[in-house]
Amino acid sequence: MITLKEALTLSSDELEAFKNELRKKIEENSEINAYIDVKSVGEGVPIAIKDNIQVKDWAVTSASKILQGYIAPYNATVIEKLKSAGLTPFGRTNMDEFAMGSTTQSSCYGKTLNPCNKDCVPGGSSGGSAAAVAAGLAIAALGSDTGGSIRQPAAFCGIVGMKPTYGRVSRYGLGAYASSLDQIGPMTQNVEDAAILYDIISGYDTKDSTSADIKTESVADKLNASRKLNIAVLPKYVQNASDDIKKAYAKAIEALKSAGHNIIEKDLMDPKYDISAYYITATAEATTNLARYDGIRYGHRVEGSNLQETYIKSRSEGFGDEVKRRIMLGNFVLSSGYYDAYYVKAQKVRHLIKDEYEAVFKEVDLILSPIAPSVAPKFGELKKPMDMYLSDIYSISVNLAGLPAISLPVDKNAEGMPVGLQLIAKAFDEQTLFDGALSLEKEFCTILPI
Ligand code: GLN
């Protein structure tokens, strides 16, 4: 598959021919179920779009039954930015319903398969975007990351996934899951493409009140893999990971050393606290955001005899089990008797996590961390919802602290499954993040699965 950098040099005739080839290939690989729908608007380099990003006149459903029939009346800011840079949205990719999940199994369109091993999950919630890029069915894709949903599927499928600093990329037109955590980001074949796509979609936006009003400098034209950086490694923190991950982690440390970086041992608090703080915060925000799907103004319409019945029926029929579970949990942690015990406490833990990262970043430029505790599990391996929540131990603290991070493939296990790790940087220091990632990628040479 051509890279984004190469695609940007093609003529419009070459791009049209390429898109026809792509359509054929997607059709031939329909079993993977990476795309919900393949459409293209206008000319330009085709970019696959997660089904929770508004593209004007497209059906956009967050892979939920409750949004069937909804047509986006406007473009998300990231889509406007793609278009002005000569790119074009091409196809809606599959995802967990409302981005809630780590496996892409909770989509109302059925599961997506991992192109590296079809018995394995592609990760989630941006599993469709990751599978599309990994299977050569997209040059690059956009995903969204609330607690790992770009970085973890990227790692499971052997591609690069980057979550920008909170506030760096406009959320205008992104279907909200947990508004204080959500960020849109690039999913690509290599680090340089991720930097190119990040440059295109980032920047201050008056339409998003949480957008950061600071200057965003381009990073791709300044990429420098030879900078020598101070990088923190976390020997104790990785103990909760599988042997595959530990092995890849040790190899990555050696690679960083041989590239001339200075390695410093650090530790972070037990990630079990991240899980509690995240699942309380995320579900509290989700329950509030999802209140708008009422079947009355919009949502899955089921006529009842009165408004209350319409509301109850449309929500009970329109939402899947995982979404309902989170709506209930979110209401519980926000209810008057439990608000202080759960929600307020989770916000305090969130502050501790942020402070802890800030303390580490006083001494280092980057942190090397696992992104998931194992390689992609097989379908059915994560049996209970709690097993899935616990598989997020390494991804969610980055969102709670609002930091930028990039996941890239560094190894393959004995079965040939990709192993990804992440680098984490200070807030708004994306340049250092990409420089470090490029240097790591150079040591390993990106391992693309197909
Ligand atoms: N797996 C996490 C969750 O289910 C993260 C999802 C995401 O980043 N959208 O909430």
Side-chain angles (χ1 to χ4, degrees):
M1 170 60 69
I2 55 165
T3 64
L4 176 56
K5 191 180 179 184
E6 290 160 353
L8 284 164
T9 64
L10 297 183
S11 69
S12 52
D13 285 351
E14 285 168 328
L15 278 172
E16 276 321 298
F18 173 79
K19 279 190 224 169
N20 288 335
E21 284 297 305
L22 201 54
R23 279 194 197 93
K24 247 202 258 150
K25 210 167 163 200
I26 293 168
E27 190 58 46
E28 284 159 15
N29 287 278
S30 59
E31 181 204 11
I32 293 176
N33 202 24
Y35 287 91
I36 295 165
D37 193 9
V38 180
K39 5 172 103 152
S40 172
V41 279
E43 291 188 348
V45 176
I47 303 292
I49 309 292
K50 189 177 180 179
D51 188 39
N52 59 354
I53 299 173
Q54 307 269 322
V55 180
K56 191 170 185 305
D57 299 331
W58 283 19
V60 174
T61 69
S62 284
S64 179
K65 201 176 146 196
I66 206 159
L67 273 169
Q68 295 307 310
Y70 172 76
I71 303 292
Y74 66 96
N75 275 328
T77 295
V78 290
I79 300 298
E80 291 292 344
K81 281 179 176 279
L82 289 186
K83 288 177 144 190
S84 23
L87 281 61
T88 186
F90 186 86
R92 297 152 55 206
T93 53
N94 204 11
M95 57 183 278
D96 280 301
E97 185 179 7
F98 283 105
M100 296 172 185
S102 314
T103 61
T104 312
Q105 285 172 283
S106 72
S107 163
C108 74
Y109 305 104
K111 63 189 182 197
T112 293
L113 310 185
N114 188 322
C116 310
N117 178 345
K118 293 184 180 138
D119 294 329
C120 294
V121 305
S125 63
S126 315
S129 289
V133 175
L137 308 179
I139 296 171
L142 291 184
S144 69
D145 192 312
T146 306
S149 280
I150 288 176
R151 292 161 289 144
Q152 181 257 31
F156 283 4
C157 294
I159 65 159
V160 172
M162 188 262 175
K163 176 217 166 284
T165 308
Y166 184 78
R168 194 60 120 173
V169 174
S170 172
R171 292 186 299 111
Y172 180 73
L174 170 68
Y177 164 11
S179 315
S180 77
L181 303 163
D182 300 338
Q183 271 293 282
I184 298 172
M187 303 178 75
T188 57
Q189 302 170 59
N190 61 40
V191 172
E192 188 180 22
D193 276 2
I196 293 170
L197 196 47
Y198 161 80
D199 278 344
I200 291 171
I201 61 171
S202 55
Y204 176 56
D205 181 17
T206 49
K207 290 184 184 142
D208 170 5
S209 63
T210 60
S211 175
D213 188 3
I214 59 170
K215 203 165 166 248
T216 302
E217 298 215 8
S218 58
V219 295
D221 53 342
K222 301 185 202 77
L223 280 177
N224 179 359
S226 16
R227 273 174 74 191
K228 302 295 170 236
L229 302 168
N230 291 319
I231 302 181
V233 297
L234 314 162
K236 241 165 102 198
Y237 191 72
V238 300
Q239 289 315 310
N240 292 313
S242 68
D243 288 345
D244 287 337
I245 307 292
K246 284 187 202 150
K247 222 170 85 197
Y249 196 78
K251 279 194 199 170
I253 295 176
E254 286 317 308
L256 290 170
K257 276 187 192 158
S258 84
H261 299 295
N262 183 27
I263 302 297
I264 303 168
E265 287 195 6
K266 289 279 169 193
D267 197 16
L268 292 175
M269 76 164 90
D270 189 330
K272 72 179 182 196
Y273 299 111
D274 304 349
I275 298 277
S276 311
Y278 172 82
Y279 275 95
I280 290 169
T281 307
T283 56
E285 293 185 21
T287 202
T288 313
N289 279 324
L290 266 48
R292 64 176 63 114
Y293 304 111
D294 53 13
I296 297 160
R297 286 164 302 178
Y298 65 99
H300 173 67
R301 189 173 288 278
V302 184
E303 298 300 342
S305 54
N306 59 38
L307 287 184
Q308 193 182 359
E309 268 176 38
T310 302
Y311 177 79
I312 292 170
K313 274 195 197 160
S314 74
R315 288 169 71 82
S316 61
E317 289 180 18
F319 288 131
D321 288 348
E322 186 56 35
V323 174
K324 283 184 198 157
R325 188 175 297 120
R326 295 184 188 213
I327 290 175
M328 286 191 282
L329 185 58
N331 275 306
F332 176 76
V333 299
L334 289 176
S335 60
S336 61
Y338 294 101
Y339 181 80
D340 286 335
Y342 292 104
Y343 184 74
V344 172
K345 210 180 220 172
Q347 301 322 300
K348 289 180 181 164
V349 175
R350 184 174 186 177
H351 267 281
L352 288 178
I353 292 168
K354 200 161 176 265
D355 290 349
E356 196 184 36
Y357 272 117
E358 265 166 28
V360 175
F361 280 125
K362 285 213 169 89
E363 286 176 58
V364 302
D365 303 299
L366 294 173
I367 301 174
L368 177 72
S369 160
I371 176 68
S374 68
V375 296
K378 295 228 156 68
F379 286 105
E381 220 172 277
L382 302 176
K383 295 217 159 33
K384 299 186 293 290
M386 199 59 187
D387 297 339
M388 189 178 70
Y389 303 164
L390 287 172
S391 74
D392 293 335
I393 46 170
Y394 290 123
S395 55
I396 53 194
S397 62
V398 162
N399 302 72
L400 288 165
L403 302 173
I406 188 165
S407 151
L408 65 158
V410 300
D411 202 6
K412 281 189 176 178
N413 74 359
E415 286 79 48
M417 288 306 281
V419 186
L421 296 175
Q422 64 176 334
L423 286 167
I424 307 166
K426 287 179 202 135
F428 301 108
D429 195 6
E430 275 87 358
Q431 184 71 58
T432 305
L433 184 71
F434 280 113
D435 288 349
L438 190 64
S439 141
L440 189 55
E441 184 183 63
K442 283 209 156 132
E443 284 299 310
F444 280 116
C445 291
T446 306
I447 304 149
L448 281 175
I450 287 175

